[in-house]
Amino acid sequence: MTLRTLESLGSLAGARVIVRCDLNVPLKDGRITDDGRVRASLPTLNALINQGARVVIISHLGRPDGAPDAQYSLAPVAQRLSELLGKPVTFASDTTGAGAHDAVSALEDGDVALLENLRFNPGETSKDEAERTAFAAKLAAFGDAFVSDGFGVVHRKQASVYELAKALPSAAGQLISTELDVLERLTESPERPYAVVLGGSKVSDKLGVIGHLLPRVDSLLVGGGMLFTFLAALGHPVGSSLLEADQIDTVKGYLAKAKELGVDIVLPTDVVVASKFGADAEHVVRPIDGIEDTEWGASGLGLDIGPETSATFAAIIRAARTVFWNGPMGVFELAPFAAGTKSIAQALTEIDGLGVVGGGDSAAAVRALGFDDEQFGHISTGGGASLEFLEGKRLPGLEVLGWQQ
Ligand code: ADP
Ligand code: MG
């Protein structure tokens, strides 16, 4: 079965349409530092506004504990959305209470309202299906139809993603359709050579994808925090670097499997070792077996791939026809450790083929380092969701919209 798209809902003029977006943007001191997810939501919202629908947007932001928490308010997002849409966006100060009721009742054709953070309500992420269903029913009362467009959450069985889609006539928005088109190109006969680059800090989350990808790719490049579990598996000391000691055996298994399959797991040859975690840390470049071989001994930590590795990785990426990259190569937020991530991003902009960047921090990294979205084949709004897709896992938020792998 294929995904139900917007057209399947028929004419939406005058209808109240609830749109689940992923407006989970990074904030610093109440300001949005990367509005990529807001911009990615615009095509569906504009399509609905142009049809004369009454648009009710719902989203989560961060991880509040099922209760209102001002630091996770969507208020700054409502303002940015209004700027980008070029029209007022009414912001409701609650999700299903009087504020939301008033905001939705006041909507006229083509108007837009944004309700407060879904996760201020325990029902959104509850493990109890009955609680999620009850919360979804409250949301459903605000709409005649539901459009699911928060690609970053389709791997979650949450009230606004799953139960709400069952409670109303529902379809996928354009962002989800676009994301799926690209991911299908990565899983169904990608042009070769096909390289996958993995990094970042959510090591245990990401190791799982390796087992599934190995038989499908030509090379797998490993950087970021994940790298040190590989080095430990090879018997190298890693100082105070990020390490998942309980995953060392899993990683040994991957190295053996890669050999058997003839796939290259390409590990760095050098790393940037720092005296501490901080922008003012001292740092030196060392070969991968020399991380503890500095004046800081075992307290030194690897915070970026080294220049030799950057050059090797960049050459493999440039020679590939398909590349998927998830996870920064180093702690790019700190200037001295951003070079590895920058050179990988640069190489990805130069490939002759499809280059995909996936992951919240990876997308934020390429923008923070001065690249434009248009320089890449695709920047995915979903990190966990795209990885789970590539792993071949079932995604409840897509299945409920008619999609089957
Ligand atoms: P994404 O959101 O793109 O999926 P992750 O959330 O897994 O990526 O990881 C992003 C984080 O990884 C960044 O904040 C970055 O600082 C961190 N990181 C990258 N390399 C290292 C490293 N060597 N040690 C510690 N953290 C790292
Ligand atoms: Mg992240």
Side-chain angles (χ1 to χ4, degrees), residues 199-202 206 224-225 228 242 277 302-304 326-333 358-362 383:
S201 58
K202 292 184 193 159
K206 294 179 182 187
F228 304 98
L242 204 67
F277 193 102
L303 294 185
D304 196 10
N326 171 256
M329 293 293 99
V331 183
F332 72 93
E333 297 93 335
D361 291 290
S362 307

Side-chain angles (χ1 to χ4, degrees), residues 11-26:
S11 166
L12 294 167
R16 296 170 309 154
V17 181
I18 303 176
V19 189
R20 176 38 159 126
C21 294
D22 174 7
L23 303 175
N24 182 26
V25 292

Side-chain angles (χ1 to χ4, degrees), residues 4 15 23 44 47 66 78 88 100 103 105 116 130 149 158 173 262 265-266 270 278 281 290 347-348 375 391:
R4 293 192 297 278
L23 303 175
T44 297
S105 318
E116 183 55 289
D149 212 24
Q158 296 178 343
I265 291 189
V266 188
D270 58 352
L348 209 66
Q375 291 177 270
E391 274 181 73

Side-chain angles (χ1 to χ4, degrees), residues 63-74:
R63 297 193 170 186
D65 226 1
D69 181 345
Q71 62 173 314
Y72 296 115
S73 172
L74 279 165

Side-chain angles (χ1 to χ4, degrees), residues 197-204 206-207 221-232 238 241-244 266-268 270-272 277 288 291 301-306 309-310 313 325-333 337 339-341 344 362:
V197 189
L198 292 178
S201 58
K202 292 184 193 159
V203 181
S204 41
K206 294 179 182 187
L207 281 175
L221 283 50
V222 178
M226 177 181 301
L227 152 66
F228 304 98
T229 307
F230 279 81
L231 297 187
V238 298
S241 310
L242 204 67
L243 172 68
E244 302 255 340
V266 188
L267 294 175
D270 58 352
V271 286
V272 180
F277 193 102
I288 51 165
I291 292 178
L301 67 171
L303 294 185
D304 196 10
I305 55 175
T309 305
S310 288
F313 281 15
W325 171 33
N326 171 256
M329 293 293 99
V331 183
F332 72 93
E333 297 93 335
F337 311 108
T341 302
I344 269 45
S362 307

Side-chain angles (χ1 to χ4, degrees), residues 36-183:
R37 283 179 166 165
V38 185
R39 284 186 282 126
S41 305
L42 298 177
T44 297
L45 298 175
N46 279 319
L48 291 168
I49 292 166
N50 292 339
Q51 281 191 54
R54 303 174 179 207
V55 182
V56 181
I57 305 171
I58 53 175
S59 176
H60 72 290
L61 178 76
R63 297 193 170 186
D65 226 1
D69 181 345
Q71 62 173 314
Y72 296 115
S73 172
L74 279 165
V77 176
Q79 199 191 333
R80 184 74 189 118
L81 200 51
S82 167
E83 287 162 16
L84 291 168
L85 289 171
K87 63 185 295 152
V89 171
T90 309
F91 180 62
S93 57
D94 57 42
T95 324
T96 56
H101 271 277
D102 291 349
V104 175
S105 318
L107 290 177
E108 305 213 11
D109 295 1
D111 282 354
V112 181
L114 170 64
L115 309 187
E116 183 55 289
N117 196 337
L118 288 160
R119 293 188 186 167
F120 286 0
N121 306 271
E124 169 66 357
T125 57
S126 174
K127 296 266 176 287
D128 179 351
E129 190 185 331
E131 276 178 38
R132 291 197 309 269
T133 305
F135 180 57
K138 285 191 191 172
L139 292 169
F142 294 138
D144 307 306
F146 174 62
V147 174
S148 183
D149 212 24
F151 179 72
V153 285
V154 292
H155 57 315
R156 309 257 185 235
K157 203 170 196 175
Q158 296 178 343
S160 69
V161 179
Y162 188 76
E163 281 80 13
L164 182 55
K166 295 205 290 188
L168 287 172
S170 60
Q174 296 183 12
L175 177 60
I176 286 192
S177 299
T178 306
E179 295 268 15
L180 266 185
D181 284 348
V182 175
L183 289 174

